[in-house]
Amino acid sequence: NAGVTQTPKFQVLKTGQSMTLQCAQDMNHEYMSWYRQDPGMGLRLIHYSVGAGITDQGEVPNGYNVSRSTTEDFPLRLLSAAPSQTSVYFCASSRQGAGGYTFGSGTRLTVV
Amino acid sequence: GENVEQHPSTLSVQEGDSAVIKCTYSDSASNYFPWYKQELGKGPQLIIDIRSNVGEKKDQRIAVTLNKTAKHFSLHITETQPEDSAVYFCAASRGGNFGNEKLTFGTGTRLTIIP
């Protein structure tokens, strides 16, 4: 039981490049979400999904896309990277109604 | 939407003393309030949570209190130890029902335990 697995752990992108941050969970959790963590700003919700085929925007969705084709996977796509997207990205999952999230170990992204 | 404020942003405590972190929230419909601990280079980890039908919950040295009328909740750590040094986040959600799992987080408190 691996929990929530995020890849890669570190990534450096040039402005304008695109990439996909991977997130997979093996707990059969219905709910998955992506947060970004910036100094002094806590964790801000980018996108979330309540089940396969269902996604919705969070607080800071601009510049990011998501899809949820399976229960296990919830990739986050950066369409055209900008320096403002330099951050640490966390994926989290939970059972419907359970409340407590299980977080991945994060992806540290730097856009130059 | 929900807004969660957390204080203080930094807290230094002598080993063995108690630490208290406070949060306020704005959405009166919020009914689930978890606390997370984040160690350096790791993802946040749930340490305790409380639902709106109780006023206090304890787990060994950690306790959380909730005042729904005032819309604030607090984390209490007693007999602090060096391994308690970390960043702590409070959060709130309407939780419990389909589609209400979204958590809004506070901005975090960096707790340092002084040996």
Side-chain angles (χ1 to χ4, degrees), chain A residues 3-60:
Chain A
V4 178
T5 302
Q6 288 185 239
T7 56
K9 292 190 181 300
F10 302 93
Q11 183 70 49
V12 179
L13 286 179
K14 293 182 178 179
T15 298
Q17 286 185 318
S18 63
M19 79 159 294
T20 298
L21 279 62
Q22 301 292 343
C23 175
Q25 53 92 7
D26 60 0
M27 298 170 285
N28 204 31
H29 285 174
E30 299 92 349
Y31 182 81
M32 297 185 75
S33 56
W34 278 100
Y35 285 84
R36 60 176 289 173
Q37 184 175 32
D38 302 293
M41 302 190 75
L43 293 148
R44 293 184 292 167
L45 182 64
I46 304 171
H47 285 286
Y48 67 98
S49 168
V50 298
I54 307 171
T55 64
D56 206 347
Q57 296 180 351
E59 180 186 355
V60 288

